[in-house]
Amino acid sequence: DAGVIQSPRHEVTEMGQEVTLRCKPISGHDYLFWYRQTMMRGLELLIYFNNNVPIDDSGMPEDRFSAKMPNASFSTLKIQPSEPRDSAVYFCASSLGISGANVLTFGAGSRLTVL
Amino acid sequence: DQQVKQNSPSLSVQEGRISILNCDYTNSMFDYFLWYKKYPAEGPTFLISISSIKDKNEDGRFTVFLNKSAKHLSLHIVPSQPGDSAVYFCAASAYLTGAGSYQLTFGKGTKLSVIP
């Protein structure tokens, strides 16, 4: 398996523009997570899905952020409009099952820079 | 309010010596603890975990110790190798049955540098 695939790897955009980050989880995994990494806050959970259904989006910073999972092999995280404070590395991760013993497999991340 | 804290942003160790990375937590509901390792330009990868019913788990050069009364865990790497140089994230998980939600909380990470 190729692992969790994220695109783009790097995105530079101007304030106010729409940003869409994409994720392909590992085939067969039933949970998908979106995390954001910043120096100040470390790794924060934004939202997670189970069988394509959003379960907990309490980590989504504000209405400018939205996430979808139209099918088991694809998810998007959208920021509209983007702001400089959204600059961070965004990680997608997937797992089979959910519990402390279930290991998350992370993608390589999408580094977003908003000017 | 950070529920999982890694108070040392960085640590330098000589090759061959022991590396000790520390992590403190505040939520007594956490029932599993994990360590992830992250190299630059890559995603975090799972390293080792421990259940809250244990106080030690070992995997090769890596050992995790859990002190529940102190709400503290540590990762020991013996002997340290240059390839261990990475950022190490401590994570803690809990399933919130009332909310029907799963919580996996990460610390901010500790950057380990192993000097040849």
Side-chain angles (χ1 to χ4, degrees), chain A:
Chain A
D1 197 325
V4 176
I5 308 295
Q6 290 188 247
S7 64
R9 290 296 310 275
H10 302 274
E11 175 88 9
V12 180
T13 190
E14 293 189 345
M15 183 173 65
Q17 296 298 306
E18 178 180 296
V19 173
T20 299
L21 307 178
R22 298 172 177 80
C23 175
K24 175 178 167 50
I26 289 176
S27 177
H29 280 190
D30 54 349
Y31 284 85
L32 182 139
F33 305 80
W34 282 101
Y35 281 86
R36 176 172 70 174
Q37 184 191 12
T38 60
M39 290 294 291
M40 288 295 293
R41 302 177 69 88
L43 269 168
E44 303 174 272
L45 176 64
L46 300 177
I47 185 172
Y48 78 92
F49 295 81
N50 175 217
N51 291 325
N52 315 338
V53 176
I55 302 301
D56 185 352
D57 65 355
S58 59
M60 296 286 261
E62 47 197 277
D63 292 345
R64 298 184 296 106
F65 286 69
S66 62
K68 293 182 180 180
M69 192 166 185
N71 58 62
S73 59
F74 184 65
S75 176
T76 60
L77 178 68
K78 187 173 292 187
I79 309 172
Q80 165 65 8
S82 58
E83 295 182 4
R85 61 189 166 126
D86 301 331
S87 298
V89 182
Y90 291 81
F91 289 101
C92 176
S94 68
S95 71
L96 180 61
I98 190 166
S99 75
N102 293 107
V103 171
L104 270 62
T105 301
F106 284 82
S110 295
R111 179 176 294 277
L112 173 64
T113 303
V114 183
L115 304 174

Side-chain angles (χ1 to χ4, degrees), chain B residues 30-52:
Chain B
F30 289 139
D31 59 1
Y32 234 91
F33 302 90
L34 307 93
W35 287 92
Y36 283 78
K37 180 169 71 173
K38 184 186 179 304
Y39 293 117
E42 296 183 10
T45 56
F46 170 73
L47 183 59
I48 191 170
S49 65
I50 187 168
S51 164
S52 61

